[in-house]
Amino acid sequence: MLNKLESLLAKTDIMLSLKQKQQLVAYVDMLNKWNKAYNLTSVRDPEQMLVRHIMDSIVVNPFLHGTRFIDVGTGPGLPGIPLAIVRPDSHFTLLDSLGKRVRFLRQVQHELGLGNIDPVQSRVEEFIPEPPFDGVISRAFASLQDMLSWCCHLPKPAEGRFYALKGVLPENELTQLPSGITLDTVVSLQVPELDGERHLVVLKSN
């Protein structure tokens, strides 16, 4: 698994320490083990998890600004845990409403010694950020409109950003952004060995 991860990383500009690579592989091992009982992801093959979960998450890292982030609807910790591993000087709140997922996240935190994550069980609209975040990250929301509606209270006013990880660019959603929200940038992401498009949509509040 470590060799597979290194071969994927070799196709990118991402430089990681041996410890970081070992933590990413250990996370996949835990995800694979817990998945059998908890059904945390539809991806069953650990090598595919490296591509579709690990690489798909960490390619976003260069485009994040700030040090305090919240991953809303994190599920089994995606993209929050891989990003926390490759970005150890930043802090990630991992928010999910399902107890079994949060239990898994706490076990990952314990086994991998991740001091820069905070797993929280809560519905996003009920979670009170203190203080607000530099960035709100989501990989799971159905639409940008839902993300903005439910998460509008989470980022810092003015300088906070919304980071939406998408497949095909949702151009019709971008034409229907609510007032007070503007498009900051769109990044076409390159994920080695992944079929299909990947985009990062970055939004800001005026």
Side-chain angles (χ1 to χ4, degrees):
M1 286 288 284
L2 191 58
N3 289 341
K4 175 67 175 177
L5 177 60
E6 288 181 334
S7 76
L8 292 167
L9 289 169
K11 298 173 184 176
T12 73
D13 296 328
I14 301 168
M15 304 294 291
L16 299 179
S17 68
L18 178 58
K19 180 185 176 184
Q20 287 171 315
K21 295 174 193 173
Q22 289 170 335
Q23 285 178 314
L24 290 169
V25 169
Y27 169 59
V28 168
D29 286 341
M30 289 186 68
L31 189 53
N32 184 47
K33 183 171 71 176
W34 279 60
N35 204 34
K36 294 174 174 66
Y38 280 69
N39 200 27
L40 298 168
T41 169
S42 60
V43 181
R44 301 295 177 190
D45 175 30
E47 289 205 355
Q48 275 301 302
M49 289 179 185
L50 286 176
V51 175
R52 295 169 61 184
H53 290 335
I54 302 301
M55 299 304 299
D56 196 38
S57 295
I58 65 177
V59 291
V60 175
N61 183 45
F63 309 103
L64 301 180
H65 297 285
T67 57
R68 291 186 69 255
F69 301 93
I70 181 167
D71 178 10
V72 291
T74 187
L78 298 164
I81 284 179
L83 285 171
I85 290 171
V86 303
R87 199 181 180 92
D89 294 332
S90 293
H91 187 275
F92 291 82
T93 296
L94 308 180
L95 194 73
D96 203 274
S97 60
L98 270 188
K100 69 176 183 179
R101 293 176 185 152
V102 174
R103 282 193 294 277
F104 171 70
L105 296 174
R106 288 184 178 136
Q107 191 63 29
V108 172
Q109 181 182 31
H110 171 70
E111 289 195 24
L112 300 190
L114 294 178
N116 63 332
I117 66 169
D118 183 19
V120 176
Q121 183 179 351
S122 172
R123 293 171 59 85
V124 63
E125 58 269 38
E126 296 167 359
F127 179 74
I128 307 301
E130 193 55 55
F133 294 94
D134 297 318
V136 179
I137 305 171
S138 174
R139 192 173 181 246
F141 273 90
S143 71
L144 294 175
Q145 282 70 24
D146 283 348
M147 179 186 185
L148 293 167
S149 168
W150 293 335
C151 304
C152 59
H153 60 297
L154 298 176
K156 286 180 180 174
E159 68 253 39
R161 295 288 185 272
F162 295 93
Y163 299 94
L165 282 69
K166 294 286 189 178
V168 175
L169 188 64
E171 298 194 25
N172 61 326
E173 294 177 21
L174 291 173
T175 64
Q176 301 169 33
L177 294 177
S179 61
I181 299 289
T182 55
L183 178 63
D184 187 34
T185 186
V186 172
V187 182
S188 179
L189 299 168
Q190 305 303 315
V191 184
E193 297 186 23
L194 184 73
D195 292 332
E197 298 178 37
R198 285 292 185 272
H199 291 88
L200 174 66
V201 177
V202 185
L203 305 168
K204 62 181 177 181
S205 53
N206 300 339

